[in-house]
C-alpha cells in the first residue's frame, strides 16, 4: 500500500473532475453515487437535495463511515 502525503492527497482532490461517494445503509447494503466535490479549506462539500430522507443523508446518519474515490485524468 502506498500512502499519499496530505499535500499529494489535496492535489488529487483539486484535480478531480468528480468523485464517487460510497455509503452503507442500516442493513449493510452498499450504495455508491457520483458527486461533484468542492474542497474548501480542510472540508469537502458536495450537492445534496437538502430534503430530509435522501439516501446519501440517511446512510451517512446511520453509519458515518464513507469512502470517497476521486477521479481525474
Amino acid at each position: 500500500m502506498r500512502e499519499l502525503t496530505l499535500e499529494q492527497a489535496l492535489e488529487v482532490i483539486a484535480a478531480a473532475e468528480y468523485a464517487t461517494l460510497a455509503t452503507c445503509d442500516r442493513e449493510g447494503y452498499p450504495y455508491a453515487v457520483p458527486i461533484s466535490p468542492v474542497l474548501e479549506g480542510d472540508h469537502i462539500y458536495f450537492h445534496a437535495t437538502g430534503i430530509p430522507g435522501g439516501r446519501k443523508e440517511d446512510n451517512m446518519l446511520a453509519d458515518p463511515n464513507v469512502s470517497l474515490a476521486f477521479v481525474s485524468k
Side-chain angles (χ1 to χ4, degrees):
M1 181 170 142
R2 186 179 144 218
E3 186 173 334
L4 298 177
T5 65
L6 177 58
E7 182 178 296
Q8 290 169 322
L10 292 173
E11 287 175 9
V12 169
I13 293 168
E17 295 180 36
Y18 66 94
T20 301
L21 172 69
T23 63
C24 283
D25 65 17
R26 292 184 189 278
E27 289 77 36
Y29 289 100
Y31 174 67
V33 61
I35 60 166
S36 298
V38 175
L39 178 64
E40 188 172 302
D42 60 352
H43 292 85
I44 298 172
Y45 297 92
F46 53 89
H47 177 265
T49 63
I51 300 170
R55 192 165 180 184
K56 288 184 296 218
E57 179 184 13
D58 287 350
N59 287 357
M60 289 188 291
L61 289 172
D63 183 350
N65 296 302
V66 302
S67 177
L68 280 172
F70 292 90
V71 180
S72 65
K73 294 181 180 179

